[in-house]
Amino acid sequence: MLGAHCSASGGVDKACSEAASIGADAVQLFTSNQRTWKSRAPFSSEEICLWKKARMEAGIGCVVSHASYLINLGSEHDDVVEKSRIAFREEIIRCQSLEIDFLVFHPGSSGSQPIEVCLLKILEGLLSLEVEFASSKGPIILLESMAGQGSQVGKNFDEIAFLIDRVDFRIPLSVCLDTCHLFAAGYDIRSSTDIDQMLKRFDEKIGLSHLRLLHMNDSKKGLGSQVDRHASLGAGEIGWDAFHYLMLDSRTAILPKILETPEGPAVWKEEIRHLKEVKSGRNPSFFSS
C-alpha cells in the first residue's frame, strides 16, 4: 500500500479524498492541530460516519496518524512530560474512534539530560498508556527513526531497541523507518547491498517483525549529516535506486509506505505512479514535465 501525508483541513474525511486523487490506497494525517497543546473535541458520530464513508469510497486500506510534533515524553522539563502524556493519550483515543491502524510518533529529545535518562522517561510514558489498550483495539504505536538533529533520541537501532525490548508487548509498539532520517543518521541505503546490510542490522538489534511502516523520503543533506530535510524521491542525496529496492525487497515490499516529500499532491501522484510501475515489474517512466 502506498500513500502520502494528506491534509485533513475541513475534516478528517478530506484526507481520504486527497489520497484517492493521487492514486493512493494508504494515507497519513493529523487528527488534531499539531502546533498546539490544546486538544480538539472528541469526534462526533457524524464526523466518524463521514470518515468511514470517505475511507471506504477511496479504497484506503491503511491509515496512519502522526502524533503532534510537540510531544516529548522524555523532556527534561516536567511540565512538558505531563502535557505530552496527556496529548498522547488523547491522540490514542481519537485514533481508536476512527479505527486508525498505526500511530507514528517522534520518540523525543534529551536536552541537557543523559540519553539514558531520556529513554527511561519515554519508556515510563509509554507504559503509562497501557490502560488505553486494555479494552480497545489499536492503534499500533510506531516509534519513528530519527535523523539525530539536536538532542533527538531514536537516531540509531540501539536506542529504539532499548524501548522496544522493555515495553515487552505491554502495549502494541513497533517501528516506522524514515528513509531520510536513516540516511541523515548515518545508515547508507543507496544500493541494494546497503539496504540488505541495514535490514540485517535492524533484524539483529530489533527484529524485522517490529518493522511495520516506511516513510519514503529522499534527503536534501548528505549521509550522516544529522540534518532532517526531506526531498522528493530521486531529487536528493539518496536517489531513486534505494526506493526501487525497497519496493522489491521481500522484507520491505509488503510494508505500507507513506510519502512525506515536500512538493505536494501533484508530485505525490507521480511518485506513487512511478513506484507502482516498479512494483509491477514495468520499466518506470519518470515525471512528465
Side-chain angles (χ1 to χ4, degrees), residues 18 20 29 44 90 113 119 142 157 177 187 189 196 225 261 281:
E18 183 169 88
L29 71 154
S44 67
E90 291 172 342
Q113 306 169 103
L119 287 169
L142 302 182
F157 296 162
L177 288 182
Y187 293 91
I189 55 171
D196 179 62
S225 65
T261 52

Side-chain angles (χ1 to χ4, degrees), residues 195-203 208 211 251-252:
I195 288 175
D196 179 62
Q197 291 175 349
M198 181 275 292
L199 290 172
K200 285 178 177 176
R201 289 172 69 183
F202 185 95
D203 196 29
L208 281 171
L211 181 54
R251 293 162 292 184
T252 53

Side-chain angles (χ1 to χ4, degrees), residues 88-153:
F88 209 149
R89 182 171 289 107
E90 291 172 342
E91 177 63 36
I92 289 170
I93 292 169
R94 288 194 296 271
C95 287
Q96 289 172 339
S97 70
L98 297 178
E99 299 177 4
I100 286 174
D101 303 294
F102 298 114
L103 170 56
V104 173
F105 82 108
H106 293 178
S109 297
S110 60
S112 62
Q113 306 169 103
I115 287 175
E116 294 78 8
V117 172
C118 178
L119 287 169
L120 286 170
K121 285 184 180 181
I122 295 169
L123 177 64
E124 184 180 355
L126 288 170
L127 292 178
S128 74
L129 302 168
E130 190 173 3
V131 65
E132 303 302 335
F133 296 93
S135 59
S136 297
K137 185 178 179 181
I140 296 171
I141 298 174
L142 302 182
L143 292 159
E144 182 172 351
S145 64
M146 303 307 295
Q149 192 164 294
S151 61
Q152 287 176 341
V153 297

Side-chain angles (χ1 to χ4, degrees), residues 2 192 195 199 214 216 240-255 257 274-284:
L2 289 165
S192 58
I195 288 175
L199 290 172
L214 294 178
M216 301 277 271
W240 266 115
D241 284 351
F243 303 103
H244 292 180
Y245 298 138
L246 290 169
M247 291 300 298
L248 298 173
D249 190 291
S250 61
R251 293 162 292 184
T252 53
I254 61 172
L255 297 175
K257 300 169 181 70
H274 181 108
L275 293 172
K276 285 181 176 179
E277 288 176 349
V278 171
K279 181 68 175 175
S280 69
R282 299 197 301 274
N283 187 33

